[in-house]
Every structure is written in C-alpha cells, then in structure tokens.
Amino acid sequence: MNSDSGVRLENDGPVATVTLCRPDVLNAQTPDMWRLLRNFSRELTGDVRVVVVRGEGRAFSAGLDRAVLGGGDFTDLAALPDDEAADRIAGFQEAFTWLRRPDLITIAAVQGHAIGAGFQLALACDLRILADDAKLSMAEVTLGLVPDLGGTKRLVELVGYARALEICVTGRRIAASEAVAMGLANIVVPAAELTSATADLTAAVLASNRDAVIEIKALLAAAADRSYADADRAEREAQVRRAEDLFG
C-alpha cells in the first residue's frame, strides 16, 4: 500500500516492509505518519511473520518534523485537559508499540540519522541492523521535551539505567560502532550491504518454526520481570505446548 503521507506498507508473503518515505526531509515524522503506522498493524495479513522498518534515502529518520511544533496535533497538547493530552500521546505511542506484538519479529534497518522519534522507532523493533554511517540520538531533551514514544524502557533494558540516563539527558550522537558495542544494535554492516544483511536475517528467522519463535519471544520478553522460579515455570509450560503441538 502506498501513501502520500510519508509512510508505505508493502506485503510480500510472510514479510511486511514499512518504509518511511519523506527522503527530502530525512524522513522526519509527523502525527499523520504515526496514525498510518498505528493502522498498519491492523492491515497485516495473518501469514506475516517478520516486519522490516526502513527509511528511504540517506537517513532512517531525523525525528520529529520541526514544522509540527508550529501548531496542530502536537502543540495543541498544552491547551487540552491533562487526561485528553495523555490520551492523544497514547495514540501517538500506538504507532510504535505495535512493533512489540508477540506474533511478529520486527527488524529496523537503520542508515544515516535515527534521531529522537527515529531512534525510538528503531528501539521499538526487536532487532536492529545498522549501516556503518548510522548515528543515533535521543534528542528530545534539546527541545525541552522527554522521550514519550515507548523508548525509555527498551533503552534501559538494552544499555542499563546509567548509560540510558546519559544518552537521554545529553542528547548526544552515538556512532554505529559504539551502538553495537553497548548493545543497541545486533550488527553493523557497510551501508551498501544493509539491504542484503536485513534480507539474510529475515530469512534466518523465517527458517525457524513459527510457533517456537513466538514462544521464545514471549519467554525472553517477560524474563526480566520474572523470578528464576517463575521463568523456569514459564519455560516448562511453553515446552509442554510445543511437545503437544509437535508430537501430540
């Protein structure tokens, strides 16, 4: 499906590709784009197993389009009652949080800048492949704002509290080599190989049993909040389900 609002969804069997397609502004994001992203999860066919998120042109996404700070959905927040403003932000967050769906493996293919909302979009995905020219930044603080698109918890999970705090309160740029060293990326590849590396990872996921992948994602996603005993029990229960499906 093509869109004139800066986002495109393409389905190819078990793989769906979400492309930010405003290369003239480095794929800067708007609330209209977030509404489309939110709706994409409802348009996926049941056979989709992997979602690839990418940006067209030389950047993944330069973050929030500064033009929206001049009025509309974003700046109107200050005029709304607190609960209505929070509800509007919750709608924005849904554009990102659906990428955590338990039945999908989501992969961000990142080149160039991934700033602010762009960084949070990459963080929303399960896996991140970075081109060697990638630069990441949680830049909301430079606008006097906070990250509010679901990125704070994932960032802490990946790099720990102290490193996440430093990244968020300084808004500094993180090069691809540092990002992979601190656990923000699964792999860094030359920019010319980003598409092929993403295809290889997608193929590796698709080669595995779908139901086993779903169970494994659920186990790992919940592991940090479980005790060892609870995690052991969850593993037993998942394995019983797999045994019944395979051999029952």
Side-chain angles (χ1 to χ4, degrees), residues 183-212:
L184 284 172
N186 295 85
I187 188 173
V188 174
V189 299
E193 298 176 14
L194 182 61
T195 298
S196 61
T198 303
D200 288 345
L201 180 56
T202 297
V205 172
L206 294 177
S208 299
N209 179 282
R210 178 175 193 170
D211 291 330

Side-chain angles (χ1 to χ4, degrees), residues 31-180:
D32 283 342
M33 293 169 67
W34 295 339
R35 277 186 276 272
L36 283 171
L37 283 167
R38 179 185 63 201
N39 291 337
F40 282 170
S41 67
R42 303 163 191 166
E43 299 174 16
L44 298 180
T45 58
D47 61 342
V48 171
R49 296 181 54 190
V50 176
V51 175
V52 174
V53 182
R54 58 181 295 273
E56 199 170 86
R58 59 191 179 92
F60 182 73
S61 173
L64 180 68
D65 190 333
R66 300 294 180 95
V68 306
L69 295 177
D73 285 289
F74 198 82
T75 51
D76 285 353
L77 289 173
L80 294 173
D82 287 356
D83 57 343
E84 292 183 28
D87 286 344
R88 181 171 294 183
I89 295 172
F92 297 161
Q93 290 173 332
E94 289 175 4
F96 296 69
T97 56
W98 72 268
L99 291 163
R100 305 178 200 149
R101 270 176 45 174
D103 59 325
L104 302 171
I105 298 296
T106 54
I107 303 171
V110 180
Q111 80 283 4
H113 289 121
I115 309 298
F119 188 17
Q120 292 190 78
L121 183 60
L123 286 172
C125 294
D126 297 310
L127 308 172
R128 280 155 296 285
I129 301 178
L130 269 54
D132 55 9
D133 66 349
K135 295 286 191 299
L136 313 179
S137 174
M138 198 72 88
E140 285 80 1
V141 70
T142 65
L143 300 174
L145 301 171
V146 303
D148 66 342
L149 298 170
T152 57
K153 179 175 173 61
R154 180 62 61 83
L155 186 61
V156 171
E157 288 174 344
L158 291 172
V159 303
Y161 164 77
R163 181 68 74 189
L165 179 64
E166 177 254 322
I167 289 169
C168 289
V169 302
T170 66
R172 71 177 179 89
R173 302 286 172 92
I174 303 166
S177 57
E178 183 184 4
V180 74

